[in-house]
């Protein structure tokens, strides 16, 4: 059984009509960058809970979550209405294995996200621990519209901090945006545009790919990587090249 503590909302950032970030203070146990926790609310007399990834580095005591208010969603709509000073429930312990300790040795680490699933990567990069072993990290954020690139300023800051070690790329699927690729991750891998934009080959011999977010993206991208790059899903007892986290 999870142990719950009270979290206090200290800030809400509204990025678009339905994208927002919650900043919470709560007496949680230490977590590992890349992990998620559960937030809970009592709705109509029933406790409802959902999983959310930490965006902040574990060393930062402002707990940050990047969310979309899913149309018709039971829980995310309630979080969308939160204001500074409101309380919610949060599990004391974090969970999940989408963390660097689970990534096998490789030269190039690719971090691919759709929508709100950028969070775990920002947490890992902001924390900065354990990244020495990679020659290069590639952070890719795929969204529908350019206005949804909420964390682009932070991505650019990280890129400056890591110098040539971190490459960032944005993908926008439903409009042309200068500076972003247009389309979806799997087709941009298939036709070579993603590698061309990063100037690096996506190869099984020296790359590991992390995929986070929309389960259809995770599925379709894995298929393409299997078919065209001879990459396999990574398991502890059967090492491969792909690690995944589904948001639904
Ligand atoms: C490990 C894990 C980490 C997660 N981290 C986050 C996070 O950091 N931020 C976040 O916004 N959500 C995250 N989610 C999703 C979150 O737990 C909820 O499912 C989401 O907030 C919708 O809840 P709801 O009750 O409003 O919608 P529900 O009534 O439960 O409806 C769910 C439907 O909404 C859609 N959906 C759910 N989540 C998303 C999403 N993030 N983006 C696009 N469509 C979605 C899907 O179509 C899904 O079938 C995570 C889920 C998991 C399993
Ligand atoms: N973003 C909005 O403005 C908006 C508005 C109203 C409602 N919603 C709802 O909110 C939820 C979340 O929306 P979201 O935009 O954050 O997340 P999303 O639907 O997961 O889209 C994020 C990115 O993932 C891409 N994608 C979707 N399926 C894919 C696949 N199989 N392979 C590769 N890429 C794929 C999308 O491309 P495509 O654009 O090609 O699908 C988009 O670029 C959805 O239920 C959506 O219906 C969103």
């Amino acid at each position: 059984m999870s142990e719950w503590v009270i979290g206090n909302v200290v800030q809400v950032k509204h990025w678009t009509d339905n994208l927002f970030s919650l900043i919470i203070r709560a007496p949680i146990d230490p977590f590992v960058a890349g992990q998620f926790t559960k937030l809970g609310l009592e709705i109509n007399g029933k406790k409802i809970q959902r999983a959310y990834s930490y965006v902040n580095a574990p060393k930062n005591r402002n707990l940050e979550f990047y969310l979309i208010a899913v149309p018709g969603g039971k829980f995310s709509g309630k979080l969308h209405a939160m204001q500074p000073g409101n309380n919610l429930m949060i599990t004391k312990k974090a969970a999940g294995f989408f963390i660097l300790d689970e990534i096998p040795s490789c030269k190039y680490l690719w971090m691919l996200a759709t929508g709100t699933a950028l969070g775990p990567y920002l947490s890992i990069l902001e924390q900065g621990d354990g990244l020495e072993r990679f020659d290069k990290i590639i952070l890719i954020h795929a969204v529908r519209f350019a206005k949804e690139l909420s964390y682009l300023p932070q991505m650019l800051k990280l890129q400056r901090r890591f110098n040539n070690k971190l490459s960032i790329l944005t993908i926008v699927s439903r409009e042309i945006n200068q500076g972003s690729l247009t389309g979806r991750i799997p087709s941009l891998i298939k036709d070579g545009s993603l590698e061309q934009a990063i100037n690096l080959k996506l190869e099984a011999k020296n790359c590991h790919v992390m995929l986070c977010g929309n389960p259809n993206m995770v599925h379709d991208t894995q298929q393409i990587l299997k078919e065209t790059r001879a990459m396999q899903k990574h398991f502890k007892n059967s090492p491969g090249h792909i690690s995944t986290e589904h948001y639904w």
Side-chain angles (χ1 to χ4, degrees), residues 54 61 67 95 121 162 184 186 205 209-210 216 222 225 231 239 242:
Y54 283 108
R61 70 194 192 103
L67 294 104
Y121 303 135
F162 282 101
R184 284 181 165 192
K205 66 173 185 205
V209 182
M210 299 176 82
N216 300 317
Q222 271 192 99
L225 292 174
M231 290 184 162
I242 307 169

Side-chain angles (χ1 to χ4, degrees), residues 18-19 68-71 114-116 142-145 147-148 171 173-174 183-186 214 216-217 220-221 248:
N18 54 6
L19 283 170
I68 182 151
V70 174
T114 52
T116 56
V143 297
R144 293 179 177 194
F145 300 101
K147 66 177 182 194
E148 295 166 354
I171 300 176
S173 54
R174 300 195 183 191
R184 284 181 165 192
I185 291 169
N214 185 320
N216 300 317
M217 176 283 287
D220 295 355
T221 307
W248 67 93

